């Protein structure tokens, strides 16, 4: 009798387990290729160019998160996000950032050192964001798993005014950019984006609104491996993908005429940052597995070497003070293939310091020593009272009060 009871219990357990396995298999097949994000669901219903409300009632009360941890012995140096981010935007007193794991958007009050979540749109696997000049629109790049493997998708999102001011019921609208979009930049003065769209063996450069309307093709090439930036209203910059193994080139596209002008070329490991007026280029090259830093005068076509060695990805030009650039400078630079080893994560700069550099007078000022960070993508608040940046080691967001 006892044996029969054990057999019955075992049979029940086995049946339950088989049922769970079958249910799990069914769910896996039904959701194969989905990452779980709302963007995955939307993409199955709304093709590129169609606009739909995807964010309803997303106003989230302040969670009281304290971001004002005093670090490195200075209350002016603080951590903004303890979770990885995939990009940020700054106004005069606020910082917005995308949480990498969820795609949620947070807004941080730098004065009060508090944060609020202003969007609960879920986009898993986000790795990049391109913001409009006033921060109410953005393109989120993320990885989407499909039957064809991982694909990069770019979702353009508009945040409503209600969301920005934390009043009322907020909504947001968005669209997917073309699937073959490979590099994106936003205008510094208009609600426009420039992106490269690859089709077969040809690559086209397109200017459009964030809604992908009023499209205008201004560039065409058989080369697709470009990083794009939009330093000023007149020019778009095209930089060949940097590598120590090949020579790199930097071009300007005249937005009005579409004319292409070579600025720099035949430089191994070339990576560059164009000044806001387009008159100067801060760039680095690989020389015998070392970083060499230079400043190039576009008008006079002259380049001067600078003694502080760093990468342009660790710098930002001031828009208020001409000829001024702020850079994170590594304490130690091992001899490797730059920038490849650093891009690929094979090395990390363990302890950057932050410098203010005047390229005309040659004056340099060390603003913060020994951050213990590998700083990338620095940006200013509009008043340039704060410098905001990402720690490449873990993609957390940090800030430094300058004034």
């Amino acid at each position: 009798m006892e044996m029969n009871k054990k057999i019955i219990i075992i049979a029940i357990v086995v049946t339950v387990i088989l049922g769970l396995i079958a249910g799990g298999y069914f769910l896996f097949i039904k959701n194969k290729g989905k990452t779980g994000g709302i963007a995955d669901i939307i993409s199955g219903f709304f093709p590129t160019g169609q606009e739909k409300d995807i964010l309803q009632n997303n106003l989230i009360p302040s969670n009281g998160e304290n971001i004002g941890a005093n670090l490195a012995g200075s209350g002016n140096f603080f951590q903004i996000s303890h979770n990885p981010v995939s990009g940020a935007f700054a106004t005069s007193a606020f910082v917005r950032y995308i949480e990498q794991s969820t795609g949620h958007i947070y807004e941080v009050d730098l004065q009060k050192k508090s944060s609020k979540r202003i969007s609960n749109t879920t986009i898993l696997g986000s790795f990049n964001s391109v913001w409009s000049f006033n921060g109410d629109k953005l393109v989120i790049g993320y990885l989407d798993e499909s039957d064809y493997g991982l694909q990069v998708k770019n979702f353009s999102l508009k945040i409503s005014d209600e969301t920005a001011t934390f009043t009322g019921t907020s909504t947001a609208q968005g669209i997917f950019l073309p699937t073959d979009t490979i590099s994106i930049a936003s205008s510094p003065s208009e609600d426009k984006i420039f992106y490269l769209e690859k089709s077969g063996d040809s690559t086209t450069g397109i200017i459009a609104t964030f809604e992908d309307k009023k499209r205008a093709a201004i560039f065409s090439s058989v080369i697709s491996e470009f990083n794009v930036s939009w330093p000023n209203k007149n020019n778009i910059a095209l930089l060949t993908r940097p590598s120590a193994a090949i020579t790199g080139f930097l071009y300007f596209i005249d937005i009005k005429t579409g004319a292409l002008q070579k600025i720099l070329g035949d430089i191994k490991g070339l990576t560059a940052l164009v000044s806001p007026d387009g008159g100067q280029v801060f760039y680095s090259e690989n020389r015998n597995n070392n970083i060499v830093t230079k400043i190039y005068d576009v008008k006079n076509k002259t380049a001067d070497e600078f003694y502080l060695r760093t990468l342009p990805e660790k710098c930002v030009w001031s828009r208020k003070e001409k000829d001024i650039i702020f850079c994170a400078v590594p304490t130690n630079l091992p001899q490797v293939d730059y920038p490849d080893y650093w891009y690929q994560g094979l090395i990390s700069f363990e302890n950057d310091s932050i410098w203010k550099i005047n390229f005309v007078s040659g004056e340099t000022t060390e603003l913060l020593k020994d951050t213990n960070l590998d700083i990338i993508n620095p940006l200013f608040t509009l008043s340039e009272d704060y410098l905001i940046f990402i720690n490449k080691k873990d993609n957390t967001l940090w800030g430094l009060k300058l004034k």
Side-chain angles (χ1 to χ4, degrees):
M1 190 72 176
E2 187 68 20
M3 181 63 70
N4 289 338
K5 187 180 293 185
K6 289 182 178 179
I7 292 173
I8 292 171
I9 292 172
I10 291 171
I12 292 172
V13 172
V14 170
T15 301
V16 171
I17 292 173
L18 290 175
L20 290 172
I21 293 173
Y25 176 77
F26 174 77
L27 289 174
F28 174 77
I29 294 299
K30 292 291 285 183
N31 294 281
K32 186 178 180 182
K34 304 296 182 184
T35 64
I38 194 169
D40 302 308
I41 301 171
I42 297 168
S43 63
F45 292 95
F46 308 130
T48 299
Q50 290 188 348
E51 214 171 72
K52 293 291 179 180
D53 288 344
I54 65 163
L55 195 153
Q56 298 287 343
N57 301 323
N58 70 336
L59 194 60
I60 308 297
S62 172
N63 57 17
E65 179 188 359
N66 182 10
I67 62 160
N70 293 336
L71 304 174
S74 171
N76 292 332
F77 177 41
F78 52 92
Q79 188 168 358
I80 295 174
S81 167
H82 294 280
N83 295 323
V85 305
S86 53
F89 170 84
T91 64
S92 292
F94 293 89
V95 173
R96 288 180 174 177
Y97 67 85
I98 308 290
E99 189 175 63
Q100 192 175 82
S101 60
T102 63
H104 295 168
I105 302 173
Y106 290 82
E107 183 164 281
V108 176
D109 187 323
L110 294 174
Q111 303 295 331
K112 297 178 180 179
K113 300 279 195 304
S114 62
S115 67
K116 294 182 179 182
R117 189 172 74 185
I118 61 172
S119 163
N120 59 3
T121 302
T122 300
I123 300 178
L124 305 182
S126 65
F127 62 88
N128 184 46
S129 59
V130 177
W131 298 75
S132 65
F133 77 102
N134 59 7
D136 67 335
K137 299 174 184 177
L138 68 155
V139 177
I140 302 176
Y142 70 98
L143 293 174
D144 180 52
E145 186 179 356
S146 67
D147 293 335
Y148 303 100
L150 284 176
Q151 290 183 318
V152 174
K153 289 190 175 181
N154 292 284
F155 187 68
S156 183
L157 179 72
K158 179 180 179 181
I159 307 171
S160 69
D161 292 337
E162 288 82 3
T163 303
T165 56
F166 304 110
T167 59
T169 300
S170 57
T171 61
Q173 294 180 327
I175 61 139
F176 286 91
L177 296 182
T179 54
D180 293 322
T181 300
I182 52 180
S183 193
I184 309 170
S186 62
S187 168
S189 57
E190 296 180 275
D191 278 330
K192 291 182 180 180
I193 54 174
F194 172 82
Y195 62 86
L196 298 178
E197 183 179 2
K198 189 174 181 180
S199 178
D201 296 329
S202 177
T203 300
T204 304
I206 296 171
I207 290 179
T209 65
F210 273 80
E211 296 77 25
D212 202 28
K213 296 177 180 178
K214 299 181 180 179
R215 289 162 48 103
I218 65 167
F219 169 77
S220 181
S221 173
V222 295
I223 302 174
S224 62
E225 298 299 310
F226 288 108
N227 292 333
V228 303
S229 61
W230 200 331
N232 56 73
K233 64 179 183 179
N234 298 318
N235 295 303
I236 289 169
L238 298 176
L239 175 70
T240 52
R241 296 283 170 88
S243 173
I246 60 173
T247 57
F249 294 82
L250 174 69
Y251 301 94
F252 283 176
I253 304 175
D254 187 298
I255 294 176
K256 292 182 179 180
T257 66
L260 190 69
Q261 178 188 6
K262 188 180 84 169
I263 304 300
L264 293 169
D266 296 316
I267 300 173
K268 283 193 173 182
L270 174 65
T271 179
L273 184 66
V274 182
S275 66
D277 64 3
Q280 295 173 310
V281 180
F282 176 77
Y283 75 96
S284 67
E285 62 180 271
N286 185 303
R287 185 188 298 170
N288 300 321
N289 288 343
N290 285 307
I291 293 174
V292 176
T293 304
K294 294 185 178 182
I295 182 74
Y296 180 75
D297 187 300
V298 174
K299 182 179 179 180
N300 296 320
K301 299 183 179 180
T302 57
D304 295 319
E305 192 169 323
F306 203 75
Y307 78 95
L308 289 175
R309 295 187 298 154
T310 188
L311 294 167
E313 290 85 346
K314 305 171 81 66
C315 301
V316 60
W317 286 96
S318 171
R319 289 185 175 272
K320 287 186 172 294
E321 298 181 85
K322 186 176 173 58
D323 306 316
I324 298 291
I325 192 170
F326 287 68
C327 286
V329 179
T331 303
N332 296 306
L333 287 169
Q335 284 191 299
V336 296
D337 288 339
Y338 288 108
D340 308 53
Y341 270 53
W342 183 68
Y343 280 175
Q344 296 164 14
L346 299 176
I347 65 163
S348 176
F349 302 135
E350 298 299 325
N351 191 17
D352 288 350
S353 296
I354 299 176
W355 290 76
K356 179 181 179 180
I357 304 165
N358 186 319
F359 280 112
V360 173
S361 67
E363 181 183 1
T364 59
T365 305
E366 189 177 42
L367 302 176
L368 184 64
K369 185 178 179 64
D370 298 335
T371 64
N372 293 316
L373 306 180
D374 186 356
I375 292 172
I376 57 171
N377 302 337
L379 68 148
F380 288 114
T381 54
L382 289 180
S383 57
E384 297 195 3
D385 291 339
Y386 291 87
L387 186 65
I388 311 300
F389 41 85
I390 293 173
N391 179 15
K392 187 175 180 289
K393 298 177 187 178
D394 58 9
N395 287 326
T396 52
L397 192 66
W398 296 69
L400 174 67
K401 187 176 182 180
L402 300 175
K403 299 178 182 178

